Amino acid sequence: MNKKIAIIGAGVAGLTFANLIKKNSDFEFIIYEKEKTLTLERGFGIQLSINSVLILNKFGFKNIKSEKMYHPEKLNFCSISNDKICDLDLTQFNTEEIKYTTLQRGTLLEFLKNEIYNQNLRFGKKIQRVSEIKNKILINFDDGTNDLVDYVIAADGIFSNTKSFFESNINRPKFKNAIAVRSILKLKKIQNMDVKNINLFMGANTHLAVYPINKNELNLICIVRHKKFDPDNIRNLIDKKVLNQGPILKKLFEGDLNSWPLYSTDKILPSSNKNVFYLGDAFQSFLPTMAQGAAQSIEGAYTLFNLLKDKNNNAHNIYFETRSKRAKLIKKRSNFNFFAFHVSNPVIKVIRNIILKYVIKNKTFISNYLGKVYNN
């Protein structure tokens, strides 16, 4: 009899894992999502480095229409006053078929969802309790239904509800005293900027990234260090902490703004149950300064899929050791970038820019700093 898997959460991590299981194994699976529907609105942009594109291509990602995504070739480092410091050649990590890719999150979710049969998706499902029965896990949902499964894959985000049913020692996410602000920009309205590539603007206690997500639109993500999240005063925050330094960027914030507080987890803890695995932000979350959130969700899904497909008896330990080592590497680089992008001291800022101009062309440094991330 085939093993059965319950996937909790229909985000990038959960849907990627489901696609791999569906196409390459004889496992049975159901995806349980607490929301009533899967939101496939275009949403905001994400970046996919080649480590994740390689995995997605295994089940058809390369067939998405070219107008729905973009392949930037450079990362431009700029001051917040829009003075270019230097640029990183992203094509050095590419192959003919695998390229650094930017697109809207909704485009990726739609692609992942389209490959999953409707009978494998259940919406409006919130776990009420779980219990173990002879090496299986019984999940009871608050609508009165239940499921008896061999494995539970929790892919329900940084504030994972699933963890509370399995873990007595929960690693609570911590507010990082930083706010993220996003917007979608029309390409034709943006001037004095390299709209074909990624632009990183660095200021005191803030940074912005602007990059194309298709042939007509750009994504804006702005990170601001601030000790309190007040969604009703986001524009005032942007005026005081961003536009006071770089008024030339004012046009970027004229559209609708979406904001949220940034959290991350300090420790990585293994699952207490050998048949329960955590994916994506439910496993480990970090600051978005390496643009690896989606990529690491996809990587984790692929690692776990291979362990379960091969019926590895030590899958629980191998998965945790492999992914925790990987997550610590990403976290370390993300935290360093968070510091380097937000330097406020004028002298340190000059030193940073001089060093940046040198290391960005140093192949050994780039291979070590980015190559180890992009070429998993």
Side-chain angles (χ1 to χ4, degrees):
M1 186 174 179
N2 293 340
K3 297 277 190 179
K4 188 173 183 181
I5 300 174
I7 303 170
I8 312 299
V12 173
L15 288 173
T16 298
F17 183 78
N19 274 272
L20 291 164
I21 287 292
K22 173 180 177 288
K23 291 182 178 294
N24 301 284
S25 79
D26 55 5
F27 285 99
E28 296 179 13
F29 71 91
I30 298 289
I31 304 174
Y32 293 105
E33 169 58 49
K34 68 178 180 179
E35 302 299 334
K36 299 296 183 182
T37 61
L38 181 61
T39 302
L40 293 177
E41 295 178 358
R42 294 181 303 160
F44 299 104
I46 56 175
Q47 300 180 42
L48 297 175
S49 47
I50 63 170
N51 51 322
S52 54
V53 175
L54 175 64
I55 295 167
L56 294 174
N57 280 352
K58 294 179 183 296
F59 48 90
F61 181 72
K62 60 186 176 183
N63 297 322
I64 291 182
K65 293 181 180 179
S66 60
E67 61 265 24
K68 290 188 174 183
M69 62 176 70
Y70 208 89
H71 302 297
E73 297 183 348
K74 291 192 302 182
L75 166 57
N76 297 313
F77 291 90
C78 307
S79 70
I80 201 164
S81 56
N82 199 18
D83 294 320
K84 184 173 177 178
I85 301 167
C86 57
D87 61 72
L88 170 69
D89 177 17
L90 294 173
T91 64
Q92 64 186 293
F93 305 106
N94 294 347
T95 67
E96 186 173 340
E97 291 190 351
I98 305 169
K99 298 178 180 179
Y100 198 101
T101 301
T102 56
L103 73 168
Q104 288 181 316
R105 185 174 184 272
T107 300
L108 177 58
L109 287 178
E110 184 175 17
F111 158 72
L112 293 171
K113 189 257 184 187
N114 285 345
E115 299 299 313
I116 303 299
Y117 297 128
N118 287 333
Q119 60 263 34
N120 293 111
L121 280 163
R122 301 284 188 277
F123 294 101
K125 294 290 188 177
K126 188 175 181 179
I127 298 177
Q128 187 177 61
R129 65 179 178 273
V130 297
S131 53
E132 294 183 60
I133 303 176
K134 296 180 179 179
N135 290 323
K136 290 183 181 288
I137 300 171
L138 177 64
I139 308 173
N140 295 99
F141 297 96
D142 62 1
D143 62 0
T145 61
N146 61 71
D147 197 3
L148 185 65
V149 300
D150 297 281
Y151 299 104
V152 172
I153 311 301
D156 50 348
I158 186 172
F159 296 103
S160 174
N161 180 59
T162 309
K163 275 189 173 182
S164 64
F165 294 98
F166 292 99
E167 311 302 334
S168 57
N169 184 17
I170 299 179
N171 187 16
R172 301 289 182 186
K174 294 183 178 180
F175 177 49
K176 303 303 292 185
N177 292 325
I179 312 298
V181 181
R182 283 191 184 270
S183 186
I184 294 294
L185 314 172
K186 293 298 181 182
L187 187 148
K188 62 183 180 181
K189 292 185 178 182
I190 303 301
Q191 299 177 349
N192 302 318
M193 188 182 299
D194 180 3
V195 295
K196 294 183 178 181
N197 291 295
I198 303 171
N199 299 278
L200 179 68
F201 302 95
M202 300 179 290
N205 296 312
T206 187
H207 81 275
L208 302 78
V210 179
Y211 56 89
I213 47 179
N214 52 50
K215 293 183 178 180
N216 300 306
E217 295 172 311
L218 301 163
N219 182 76
L220 162 69
I221 172 70
C222 175
I223 307 298
V224 183
R225 289 180 186 263
H226 198 59
K227 293 182 178 180
K228 182 181 178 181
F229 174 57
D230 183 358
D232 294 327
N233 285 294
I234 290 300
R235 290 194 181 275
N236 287 336
L237 179 66
I238 294 299
D239 285 342
K240 292 178 180 178
K241 295 211 168 185
V242 180
L243 298 183
N244 272 353
Q245 300 180 64
I248 194 171
L249 302 177
K250 184 176 181 178
K251 198 170 185 65
L252 300 180
F253 295 91
E254 290 180 348
D256 295 333
L257 302 180
N258 183 277
S259 62
W260 64 96
L262 287 181
Y263 288 83
S264 72
T265 46
D266 289 338
K267 297 180 181 179
I268 309 173
L269 301 176
S271 167
S272 60
N273 187 308
K274 66 182 180 68
N275 294 325
V276 177
F277 298 87
Y278 302 116
L279 276 182
D281 285 345
F283 179 79
Q284 168 70 47
S285 64
F286 28 73
L287 294 168
T289 46
M290 280 294 292
Q292 278 288 302
Q296 291 308 305
S297 293
I298 294 165
E299 266 191 32
Y302 188 60
T303 299
L304 180 56
F305 157 73
N306 282 312
L307 288 169
L308 296 185
K309 180 196 68 171
D310 294 341
K311 299 178 174 59
N312 193 304
N313 292 328
N314 198 29
H316 180 262
N317 290 330
I318 294 174
Y319 174 75
F320 177 75
E321 290 173 5
T322 301
R323 291 310 302 167
S324 60
K325 181 179 179 181
R326 185 77 168 142
K328 288 175 183 177
L329 173 70
I330 305 298
K331 183 180 179 65
K332 184 177 180 180
R333 282 160 170 63
S334 297
N335 288 344
F336 178 77
N337 285 357
F338 190 58
F339 161 75
F341 294 169
H342 292 185
V343 168
S344 57
N345 183 286
V347 176
I348 297 177
K349 190 181 299 183
V350 171
I351 295 172
R352 177 202 62 191
N353 292 350
I354 292 172
I355 294 173
L356 187 58
K357 289 177 182 179
Y358 170 75
V359 299
I360 215 72
K361 302 301 180 184
N362 187 297
K363 292 184 178 180
T364 301
F365 174 83
I366 294 301
S367 177
N368 180 65
Y369 195 79
L370 291 177
K372 288 183 177 181
V373 174
Y374 294 167
N375 297 296
N376 180 35

